[in-house]
Amino acid sequence: MGFHHRHLIDIREYSADDIMLMLQTAERFRSVNERRVKKVPTLKGFTVVNMFFNEPSTRTRSSFEIAEKRLSCDSLNFGGSSTSSVKGESLKDTVETLCAYKIDMIIVRDKHAGVPHQIAETSGVSVIDAGDGKHQHPTQALLDLYSIWQAKGTLDGLKVGVVGDVAHSRVCGSLVPALNTMGCEVTLIAPPTLLPAAPEALGAHHVTSNLDEALGELDVVYMLRIQQERLENSPFPNLREYSMLYGLNEKRDKLLRPDAIVCHPGPINRGVELDDFMADHPQRSVILDQVYAGILVRMAAMYLLLGGSEDGLTA
């Protein structure tokens, strides 16, 4: 199969061939998800632990759980105030305890950057980063790429604008390098106060603060969520001012190419990043397609990392 990774923690470790194999495998799982019995035995006998420790999650958590059920693996949801971490148990001891159950994979979301790497070093099992601090969110990047690939028919040469809170976005930490790897031309569009100190380090080709000037050049407009929980003491205009300058709305629809599409990782702050017209636009918005793609690419990631049986894709 030509896939030799054990973990999905840093998307920059994946080549264009690796990413395309992931997208093509996700496409094969689409047929499974669109039939009456949406289940294959490909990971039967494997055990996956979902460690969604101390950050809220709706889409990521639910789509991983559905993906695990549809691959027939056993899963354990672990985290929150009911675990011994609140009694002071260290991350290392927690992971070693879970691994004593002879598990095969840990999927982790944590507010601290670097936790997935620590778990990979301690556990000896496959690890998927489901979002760590402001660092990375590789399966979000893969589902975004899948959705864009499906909508546009290709990734190579597309002009993609990533708009908004780049500085606090772990989505950007994975998405921008992945777009770059797949041959897209990436423009970061944000007020200077919402850009990282060295935006070029993400791999973007262009950086601008003028949304209106950039829109007409883009094939894909990727709107980021304003992460109010991470703004801390960062200088930030009020939401009304931000929306006037950087919100994608019915008025700005006229500036877009006729075939441009709109993405958002969710949850949407309606009236801030997008108005109802753009969020629900029947031709431009692929936001619900991104939600569905979350199941497909997470099935693909678990299948490829755990070396599931080939027969399982069509059983």
Side-chain angles (χ1 to χ4, degrees), residues 161-172:
V162 181
V163 184
D165 189 359
V166 178
H168 303 96
S169 172
R170 59 183 168 217
V171 171
C172 270

Side-chain angles (χ1 to χ4, degrees), residues 200-213:
E200 65 277 5
L202 288 171
H205 299 81
H206 315 285
V207 180
T208 179
S209 295
N210 193 321
L211 175 63
D212 290 347
E213 283 187 3

Side-chain angles (χ1 to χ4, degrees), residues 31-233:
S31 61
V32 173
N33 281 272
E34 294 182 355
R35 66 193 193 193
R36 189 180 67 81
V37 179
K38 303 175 181 61
K39 195 163 189 170
V40 288
T42 186
L43 291 186
K44 188 175 183 180
F46 288 88
T47 302
V48 176
V49 173
N50 301 310
M51 287 181 64
F52 287 84
F53 255 18
N54 48 23
E55 280 224 324
S57 172
T58 298
R59 292 157 190 77
T60 303
R61 180 169 187 158
S62 60
S63 60
F64 265 117
E65 290 184 22
I66 291 173
E68 290 155 14
K69 294 179 191 301
R70 293 182 179 176
L71 290 168
S72 301
C73 60
D74 299 311
S75 60
L76 170 68
N77 294 322
F78 183 86
S81 59
S82 61
T83 70
S84 290
S85 62
V86 298
K87 300 177 182 175
E89 184 174 60
S90 70
L91 176 65
K92 179 176 183 293
D93 286 341
T94 299
V95 170
E96 288 181 343
T97 298
L98 292 170
C99 289
Y101 301 143
K102 310 302 180 188
I103 63 174
D104 301 288
M105 173 177 278
I106 294 175
I107 296 164
V108 56
R109 165 170 288 202
D110 200 283
K111 66 181 178 182
H112 301 294
V115 165
H117 277 294
Q118 293 178 44
I119 292 175
E121 291 172 358
T122 300
S123 68
V125 303
S126 290
V127 174
I128 294 179
D129 180 356
D132 62 325
K134 302 176 189 175
H135 182 223
Q136 288 230 8
H137 195 350
T139 58
Q140 176 69 48
L142 290 169
L143 73 87
D144 295 333
L145 290 177
Y146 179 87
S147 302
I148 295 168
W149 178 54
Q150 289 289 302
K152 307 298 287 186
T154 185
L155 292 168
D156 188 39
L158 290 180
K159 294 184 177 180
V160 182
V162 181
V163 184
D165 189 359
V166 178
H168 303 96
S169 172
R170 59 183 168 217
V171 171
C172 270
S174 295
L175 177 62
V176 176
L179 288 167
N180 200 1
T181 298
M182 300 309 291
C184 300
E185 183 177 328
V186 183
T187 301
L188 300 180
I189 305 164
T193 54
L194 292 182
L195 286 170
E200 65 277 5
L202 288 171
H205 299 81
H206 315 285
V207 180
T208 179
S209 295
N210 193 321
L211 175 63
D212 290 347
E213 283 187 3
L215 282 178
E217 301 295 322
L218 302 175
D219 299 297
V220 180
V221 185
Y222 193 103
M223 303 300 293
L224 295 168
R225 182 174 70 88
I226 290 295
Q227 313 224 359
Q228 297 186 65
E229 71 276 19
R230 293 197 177 96
L231 289 178
E232 301 163 346
N233 296 319

Side-chain angles (χ1 to χ4, degrees), residues 22 61 182 187 240 256 272 294 308:
M22 195 76 77
R61 180 169 187 158
M182 300 309 291
T187 301
R240 181 173 176 274
L256 293 171
V272 180

